[in-house]
């Protein structure tokens, strides 16, 4: 008995398997559509549950949710201030009030919905999904959030304040 692993040569007359170094590996057999959609559907279930909770437990009534520490200690609105009340308004179908409470959050809800639909669609077709943004886009997103944060705390941007 030997301790070394040895390769067994292919049978005489059999062609050796041909592997090109640049070819992609063979895809795994496709799983069922429901199984492939489990993660996007799980994320959707979590988001719907969160919106249902915020819709049922009114953030306009004090004592149910923690207070924003930045607002509490400085009086400055953060980019998320009004987000829970905005989600509550969306859950009740009042999109005008939601925009008035936190327009950036409403834009994020819409963006999430679009990205989720694309994610589910690609997943159901067995195609990979990933979001790759160039650094310039991340800087632009940061600039929009910063502008929103500053503007809603200044007199000319009072319409953006919750």
């Amino acid at each position: 008995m030997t301790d070394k692993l040895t390769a067994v040569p292919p049978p005489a007359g059999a062609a050796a398997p041909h592997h090109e170094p640049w070819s992609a590996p063979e895809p795994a057999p496709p799983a069922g559509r429901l199984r492939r959609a489990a993660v996007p559907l799980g994320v959707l279930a979590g988001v719907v549950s969160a919106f249902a909770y915020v819709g049922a437990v009114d953030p306009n009534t004090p004592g149910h949710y923690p207070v924003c520490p930045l607002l509490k200690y400085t009086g400055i609105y953060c980019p998320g201030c009004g987000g829970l009340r905005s989600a509550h308004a969306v859950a009740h179908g009042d999109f005008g009030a939601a925009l008035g409470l936190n327009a950036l959050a409403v834009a994020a809800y819409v963006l999430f919905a679009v990205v989720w639909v694309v994610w589910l669609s690609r997943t159901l077709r067995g195609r990979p999904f990933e979001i790759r943004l160039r650094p310039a886009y991340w800087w632009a997103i940061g600039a929009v959030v910063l502008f929103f944060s500053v503007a809603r705390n200044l007199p000319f941007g009072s319409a953006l304040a919750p």
Side-chain angles (χ1 to χ4, degrees):
M1 198 167 186
T2 63
D3 289 343
K4 295 181 181 179
L5 294 174
T6 58
V8 177
H18 178 68
H19 295 285
E20 296 179 18
W22 60 85
S23 66
E26 291 185 32
R33 294 183 127 214
L34 186 59
R35 183 174 176 167
R36 281 195 306 241
V39 173
L41 292 174
V43 168
L44 181 64
V47 170
V48 168
S49 298
F51 267 84
Y53 180 79
V54 171
V57 181
D58 190 358
N60 295 302
T61 305
H64 293 294
Y65 300 97
V67 178
C68 173
L70 184 66
L71 181 62
K72 181 178 179 180
Y73 295 116
T74 67
I76 297 172
Y77 296 119
C78 75
C81 280
L84 281 175
R85 288 177 281 151
S86 173
H88 180 77
V90 167
H92 288 274
D94 191 356
F95 297 104
L99 279 169
L101 291 165
N102 191 324
L104 190 62
V106 174
Y109 306 152
V110 171
L111 180 63
F112 171 80
V114 169
V115 168
W116 184 86
V117 167
V118 171
W119 180 22
L120 180 66
S121 172
R122 291 183 66 87
T123 300
L124 288 175
R125 288 186 276 144
R127 297 175 65 195
F129 176 75
E130 67 180 79
I131 298 173
R132 283 189 273 176
L133 295 177
R134 294 183 183 132
Y137 290 115
W138 289 112
W139 283 103
I141 292 168
V144 167
V145 171
L146 181 64
F147 176 78
F148 179 77
S149 301
V150 171
R152 70 191 320 211
N153 285 290
L154 296 175
F156 72 85
S158 61
L160 297 174

